[in-house]
Amino acid sequence: FYPEHTPTTLISRSRDEIAAFTKGFERVTLKPIDGHGGKGIHFISHGESDAGAKIDEVTHNGSHWIIAQEYLPEASIGDKRILLLDGEPLGAILRVHGAGAELNNLDQGGSANPVEMTPHDLKICAALKEGLVREGIVFSGIDVIGDKLIEINVTSPTGLQELSRFADRPFHHDIIERLESRKS
């Protein structure tokens, strides 16, 4: 799970475990483990009166696993989606929330902006490379807030169109060529 690169995180479906976890932070992000596009994400602030109801909603009363994660205030300025091909970074976009919204996801009204990767972003990519390659994950996207890895997206990472437009390069050709070169 790369704990040296992630904020404090709990994976659970237990209301009691999640409630106890949230007591250690000013604010916590709750998201479905099988979610996408920012759907089903809730935030709990320390001492919030309806925290139990939010936990029950996200976990479907304890029947669905969720990710509870220390909230990172840097999320207010956006998050980076870094796209990787065989663990090597193709580039990044900065996703910024829309007016009146808090989620940076493009599916939730966020916008994509060009951004450069930092040396720390490259360090995170290098740490993930071996595991991604070992698992046969050719194309993936990671989300970084501040200097922390938030998640690894392997089923349908968004941002490829935006990255290609910003870089004026058809990255989808690189991905298809890589996949075709693996055919036996």
Side-chain angles (χ1 to χ4, degrees):
F1 286 111
Y2 310 99
E4 67 277 13
H5 295 293
T6 61
T8 306
T9 301
L10 170 72
I11 298 173
S12 179
R13 61 183 179 182
S14 163
R15 183 183 202 200
D16 292 341
E17 284 180 3
I18 297 163
F21 176 83
T22 65
K23 291 179 182 176
F25 305 98
E26 188 64 33
R27 194 162 193 228
V28 172
T29 305
L30 304 177
K31 52 189 170 182
I33 201 162
D34 58 353
H36 64 281
K39 294 175 182 75
I41 294 177
H42 289 283
F43 301 99
I44 296 179
S45 296
H46 181 69
E48 191 171 318
S49 62
D50 65 344
K54 287 182 179 179
I55 294 168
D56 289 343
E57 183 177 342
V58 177
T59 64
H60 300 264
N61 295 313
S63 65
H64 284 76
W65 292 88
I66 71 161
I67 299 167
Q69 209 165 50
E70 170 189 6
Y71 176 80
L72 300 175
E74 298 92 338
S76 65
I77 58 173
D79 65 47
K80 280 185 194 170
R81 166 60 58 89
I82 301 172
L83 296 174
L84 304 166
L85 182 58
D86 276 334
E88 292 289 336
L90 295 173
I93 62 171
L94 181 68
R95 301 181 306 176
V96 179
H97 59 274
E102 187 168 10
L103 296 175
N104 297 315
N105 303 71
L106 300 180
D107 284 353
Q108 299 296 321
S111 61
N113 299 281
V115 68
E116 296 294 322
M117 287 183 287
T118 67
H120 193 77
D121 295 336
L122 296 172
K123 183 177 178 181
I124 292 172
C125 294
L128 299 177
K129 181 178 179 175
E130 180 182 337
L132 292 170
V133 170
R134 181 180 59 248
E135 295 299 323
I137 299 170
V138 177
F139 179 57
S140 60
I142 63 172
D143 297 338
V144 176
I145 295 177
D147 65 353
K148 296 290 186 181
L149 172 67
I150 301 304
E151 62 187 47
I152 303 170
N153 301 275
V154 299
T155 56
S156 182
T158 60
L160 183 60
Q161 292 178 21
E162 294 81 3
L163 179 63
S164 293
R165 186 173 62 246
F166 297 147
D168 195 26
R169 180 174 170 195
F171 287 109
H172 57 285
H173 291 297
D174 298 337
I175 296 164
I176 297 300
E177 286 175 16
R178 186 72 53 93
L179 289 168
E180 287 179 342
S181 73
R182 293 179 178 228
K183 288 183 181 178
S184 27

